[in-house]
Amino acid sequence: MTVKERTKPQVATMNAVHDLPVLVARDKGFFKDEGLDLEFVTTPGMAQVTTSHFVKFDSVFDRPLDSVYNEGGIDQYRMCEWGIMKRAVEANTQGLRGRKIVALGASMSKFAIVVAPGSKYYEPEMLKNQPIAVTPNNGSDFTTLKMMEGFLAQEHIKRTHAGSMLKRLEAVRDGKVAAASVMEPWISVAQKWGLRILIESHSTRSEAAGDDLDGATLKKMFSAQARAVELIEKDPTPFVHYFIRETGGLLKPEEFQTWRLLHAAPQPYTHERWEDTYNWTVKWNMTVPGATYQNTVDNRAWQ
């Protein structure tokens, strides 16, 4: 495929839980301080209260962010670690625009599995054979498997889709699904609604980029993110508004649980992490076998 001509790197922003260091670095001028002139492209995310985006358990490459990337509309993006891995591996096998894992990302905020206040489920193992609402092949899906595999055999962990984070919580509240996996700010919304949290876990992001985005530029981008991380970790309160906006007024700033936020500077994606994560992903049939660290990971920002 031919990537359209551009004059500046185009960076995707989606959900605040993935992109908070990018949003802060953009709005504080940290990218400009690094001498970067970037274009930020907003793509639909399942955390947005207004989203009409509905995904199924089929090709991830039909989804808005992936379609925009494949058409050359963005050069760099981040999402859950396993989702990036799946896309980097399978783009090669499907002849799509190539992308590499270029860093372990900065955002490591939590996901949680929630049930209704009066639910008969009180611990994770009680969800045996009960579908948990997730975004297929995205962070809530992968993190749900990670959280549940310590309690149930693989064949007894079931997932389904019920739409956006808001739609999932509504489905739980209304008794349409047994449980749902959500991230912030929707964990805070779930608590406000009185839903019960069964289990939660941090979920790391990865950074992906096309081969045409050079290491020096990536290094500057990650440096700007690292600077933003220092601010967020010192006091996340000034940045809560990015999350509140995603709820469309369902949450007040003081109701957001900032303690769930966790960030660190982007860092190289190690060979050991690749082996552990890729093999786990293949075990769950979440991506295809046969990929290698050498053809999927490129830590050029540190070279």
Side-chain angles (χ1 to χ4, degrees):
M1 63 167 291
T2 301
V3 178
K4 68 178 185 179
E5 293 184 3
R6 61 181 65 82
T7 58
K8 61 182 71 173
Q10 295 168 303
V11 179
T13 59
M14 187 170 50
N15 301 316
V17 76
H18 300 303
D19 298 323
L20 186 59
V22 174
L23 296 170
V24 172
R26 178 196 67 187
D27 295 346
K28 291 291 186 180
F30 296 163
F31 290 116
K32 290 184 178 179
D33 290 347
E34 293 286 339
L36 296 173
D37 183 14
L38 306 176
E39 179 181 347
F40 297 91
V41 180
T42 302
T43 58
M46 298 304 284
Q48 312 298 326
V49 72
T50 56
T51 189
S52 59
H53 183 38
F54 191 88
V55 301
K56 300 180 180 180
F57 285 89
D58 50 13
S59 175
V60 296
F61 297 110
D62 293 334
R63 301 178 186 179
L65 183 150
D66 299 282
S67 296
V68 173
Y69 178 85
N70 287 325
E71 294 168 2
I74 54 176
D75 302 303
Q76 200 276 327
Y77 63 97
R78 70 221 51 81
M79 57 177 61
C80 77
E81 181 178 6
W82 309 287
I84 290 290
M85 183 167 289
K86 178 177 178 67
R87 287 157 174 81
V89 168
E90 295 185 13
N92 292 335
T93 66
Q94 296 186 32
L96 299 171
R97 182 187 178 194
R99 69 214 72 188
K100 295 284 180 64
I101 300 170
V102 293
L104 186 65
S107 297
M108 294 168 281
S109 301
K110 286 191 172 183
F111 275 90
I113 297 175
V114 302
V115 298
S119 170
K120 62 182 180 181
Y121 306 112
Y122 302 102
E123 54 188 359
E125 54 264 48
M126 296 178 77
L127 290 174
K128 181 178 181 179
N129 296 324
Q130 297 298 316
I132 302 168
V134 303
T135 304
N137 292 315
N138 272 28
S140 58
D141 193 4
F142 295 107
T143 310
T144 292
L145 298 179
K146 277 284 190 180
M147 289 189 284
M148 294 299 295
E149 68 178 350
F151 298 91
L152 293 171
Q154 187 168 347
E155 64 269 21
H156 295 305
I157 303 174
K158 308 298 181 183
R159 297 105 66 215
T160 187
H161 53 84
S164 68
M165 299 281 172
L166 172 60
K167 295 298 183 184
R168 270 174 251 178
L169 293 184
E170 291 175 340
V172 170
R173 180 196 62 192
D174 299 340
K176 295 178 180 179
V177 296
S181 181
V182 295
M183 59 193 181
E184 287 291 14
W186 298 100
I187 307 175
S188 292
V189 173
Q191 288 187 292
K192 180 179 181 178
W193 288 5
L195 274 62
R196 184 189 310 143
I197 296 174
L198 291 192
I199 186 173
E200 53 188 297
S201 173
H202 290 287
S203 175
T204 305
R205 313 297 179 255
S206 288
E207 301 267 356
D211 290 339
D212 50 337
L213 195 57
D214 63 88
T217 300
L218 287 170
K219 182 177 181 178
K220 293 176 181 178
M221 292 170 65
F222 297 154
S223 178
Q225 282 196 50
R227 188 175 168 193
V229 163
E230 291 183 5
L231 283 183
I232 297 166
E233 286 298 289
K234 183 177 181 180
D235 179 12
T237 307
F239 313 114
V240 166
H241 64 91
Y242 295 102
F243 293 91
I244 301 305
R245 183 171 55 212
E246 293 183 342
T247 72
L250 292 176
L251 203 65
K252 298 177 182 178
E254 62 269 21
E255 295 170 325
F256 180 73
Q257 303 293 313
T258 58
W259 64 269
R260 286 196 177 92
L261 300 180
L262 179 63
H263 297 86
Q267 56 189 283
Y269 201 89
T270 67
H271 194 284
E272 181 180 12
R273 192 173 187 100
W274 158 265
E275 291 289 341
D276 291 342
T277 304
Y278 179 63
N279 290 334
W280 177 87
T281 308
V282 171
K283 179 191 77 172
W284 278 98
N285 196 31
M286 302 296 272
T287 192
V288 297
T292 67
Y293 179 80
Q294 288 72 24
N295 65 23
T296 313
V297 178
D298 188 343
N299 290 310
R300 58 185 179 269
W302 290 273
Q303 295 171 355

